[in-house]
Amino acid sequence: MTDEKIVPMNEDIEIPPRRPLTLKDVSEASGVSEMTVSRVLRNRGDVSEATREKVLQAAKSLGYVPNKIAGALASSRVNLVAVVIPSLSNMVFPEVLTGVSEVLDETPLQPVVGVTNYLPEKEEEVLFEMLSWRPSGVIIAGLEHTDASRAMLKAAGVPVVEIMDVDGEPIDAVVGISHRRAGREMARAIVKAGYQNIGFLGTKMPLDHRARKRFEGFTEALAKEGVEVMDQEFYSGGSALAKGREMTETILNRSPDIDFLYYSNDMIGAGGLLYCLDNSIDVPGQVGLAGFNGVDLLEGLPRKLATMDSGRLEIGREAARIIAARIDGTEETGGRRVELTPKLEVGETLRRR
Amino acid sequence: MTDEKIVPMNEDIEIPPRRPLTLKDVSEASGVSEMTVSRVLRNRGDVSEATREKVLQAAKSLGYVPNKIAGALASSRVNLVAVVIPSLSNMVFPEVLTGVSEVLDETPLQPVVGVTNYLPEKEEEVLFEMLSWRPSGVIIAGLEHTDASRAMLKAAGVPVVEIMDVDGEPIDAVVGISHRRAGREMARAIVKAGYQNIGFLGTKMPLDHRARKRFEGFTEALAKEGVEVMDQEFYSGGSALAKGREMTETILNRSPDIDFLYYSNDMIGAGGLLYCLDNSIDVPGQVGLAGFNGVDLLEGLPRKLATMDSGRLEIGREAARIIAARIDGTEETGGRRVELTPKLEVGETLRRR
DNA sequence: TTGAAAGCGCTAACAT
DNA sequence: ATGTTAGCGCTTTCAA
């Protein structure tokens, strides 16, 4: 028998723990300095085609994934944009995000989303958390923030775009619509169409400032026409469509003289419409209806609900454009203000005169 | 005239560029070493109440926001969980995210979302980008990925949970339902209810593997009963509700004998239902209808659509639980497989025998 | 075109 | 209970 080398099973054979690969590994595998590897991987500086090949080949075959944490620390450049929104359940915000992604996809920037559940303290936490990653910009819904949040945003030293709403004092840039104006314009359209006994249906959310502003604009414009909101009803939680039905039934039973219902969003408006149709209420003859947002669900309803487009997609896009332009230095100054014009969609639930 | 000190305007007065604060600033302001400041800010180790106070006070008054990039690099701990989903427009995914957030909110972990638009190459890019931040875990929709994506996920050395679907070979853990089974069960329920001339309506998306698997399960189970799908129709883009109407009209005109329509999602199903009701088609007598997902929109429809709940919220929660448990070491082994049972909701659009 | 050295801001590990 | 030292993995800067 030849004296084979026998490797005992239970020896302290060093099984190196699977460690993430580093530049050094690629450097060794390719026989090129770490620095040059780094240059190749970032397409920076002059590197000969030959070494370039070698490096890319080595990186690929090892399955190297760069460590952005180290890169960001070394370069103090972070390609993240913090996007802070109140909710994901309300389709409005995913739509805004879609607009943001669409634009950022053309840049090296990447959105990172934080959700606040409409709570100012939670917003503060989320913001703190996100800012601690030193993002290159912040897109945040609304103009109402705690003092601490405003202080953090100002101190962050990066572009901040407040979105959705323009009624208030922005910290830096702002992109949105005036919800007061949206409310006023809807009120005028309703009165002009000859409705006089108007009911309002909304969410039970004192912290939804945009819904509140629409309501304020609405009642204010009605007041100018000598009209008052006759009755109102609020809901929280549950299926918005079902709640729209229920609330509509409730308010119409309580105030049978109502001839118009203004809903704070299209979903409950759609529920109201379905209720009316089910109960043979003539829309818009006996009762007119209007919602808010311009969601594309409305296209498929038996009758097209009157609404006012809130331009979510465009808001997301524009906010992202502002951030991108500021970061790459195209746009110098801060404080841009973009007010989009909400456009009334008369649909078929607002009678025409 | 006294000789006042006159400060010339255009002197090279050093205006220190607004630099983000560091631990050192807090250390100097509080007269405590950086290390102790770090300890206080992370609630680590023993620190006397007195110094603790001093430090917190200093940090707060300066408005210090820690730099997680540096922290992560030093500790090689990153409290991020990458969540990769195909889309935000389909409410299903925001719902999953809601479940994920809900659970991660109770932990130090934070979700970071990436969207792939159902494109495998885009998924690969997004994954590469996210993994370069060295997240502590990955939650990713589906079981179908490019080889490169699978390789990256395996090499990442962190828990990976594939979600939504269990029909296939997971990389690590998996949480979802069997879409094949969902399709089969719906087929059986339909045949059992006495329908024989069945149409299928879906999205024109070869890359939506879950929809495909449902369809396969569906046709397979029908075949066992000696039934074949009579006609089918596909759409892409636009308002799903409106498309549901259109497709329903098209297919019923083309194949008037159809007595059941199976929709690949609730939204187009709802459109179909509204179409039928508008056109006085007796549902479920003349034509039965069923969708898929169990979205809560269905609660508000004139008639409750039959569907099968896909348990999105619970999938998100469970995936997050698995990640959290593995990270804090509660759960050792990998490869957990959680198959949720999709539950048939008969509603009012599937006739009862 | 390539490489070497010196940090980025923090934390682990070890003093004291 | 507090401080000191040495990196984490990269990029910047400077040198060759």
Side-chain angles (χ1 to χ4, degrees), chain B residues 170-335:
Chain B
I171 293 167
D172 179 3
V174 57
V175 181
I177 63 169
S178 164
H179 287 261
R180 286 227 169 72
R181 176 171 161 191
R184 282 200 304 269
E185 290 192 1
M186 187 54 90
R188 283 194 213 106
I190 291 167
V191 172
K192 203 164 150 202
Y195 297 99
Q196 291 285 331
N197 302 317
I198 299 167
F200 179 83
L201 309 182
T203 36
K204 204 177 288 167
M205 282 233 273
L207 296 169
D208 185 343
H209 301 283
R210 293 175 286 286
R212 190 201 76 221
K213 289 171 187 176
R214 286 198 298 282
F215 183 60
E216 287 169 3
F218 187 70
T219 51
E220 175 202 316
L222 285 186
K224 280 212 181 122
E225 308 276 355
V227 177
E228 259 188 36
V229 168
M230 173 175 246
D231 195 358
Q232 38 191 87
E233 185 70 20
F234 300 90
Y235 80 104
S236 64
S239 158
L241 201 66
K243 291 292 179 179
R245 279 180 180 270
E246 290 169 26
M247 293 161 76
T248 303
E249 175 164 25
T250 305
I251 202 170
L252 288 181
N253 284 335
R254 190 168 56 213
S255 310
D257 291 343
I258 278 180
D259 64 0
F260 198 94
L261 291 170
Y262 180 38
Y263 295 84
S264 80
N265 69 63
D266 288 336
M267 214 56 181
I268 55 175
L273 173 62
L274 293 177
Y275 171 82
C276 290
L277 297 180
D278 278 4
N279 292 277
S280 314
I281 295 170
D282 171 21
V283 176
Q286 186 181 345
V287 177
L289 305 173
F292 177 79
N293 262 331
V295 301
D296 70 16
L297 173 98
L298 301 186
E299 299 295 331
L301 295 180
R303 200 154 308 172
K304 202 157 172 320
L305 186 70
T307 190
M308 196 161 269
D309 182 26
S310 59
R312 286 101 41 215
L313 203 66
E314 192 49 35
I315 287 176
R317 288 201 194 105
E318 188 56 30
R321 274 188 217 114
I322 291 177
I323 296 278
R326 283 247 228 125
I327 289 173
D328 82 1
T330 307
E331 188 169 312
E332 276 303 323
T333 54

Side-chain angles (χ1 to χ4, degrees), chain A residues 100-123:
Chain A
V100 170
S101 300
E102 209 178 271
V103 171
L104 293 190
D105 269 0
E106 317 278 275
T107 75
L109 300 167
Q110 235 211 334
V112 184
V113 179
V115 176
T116 69
N117 298 321
Y118 289 97
L119 301 174
E121 311 75 38
K122 173 91 182 176
E123 180 181 271

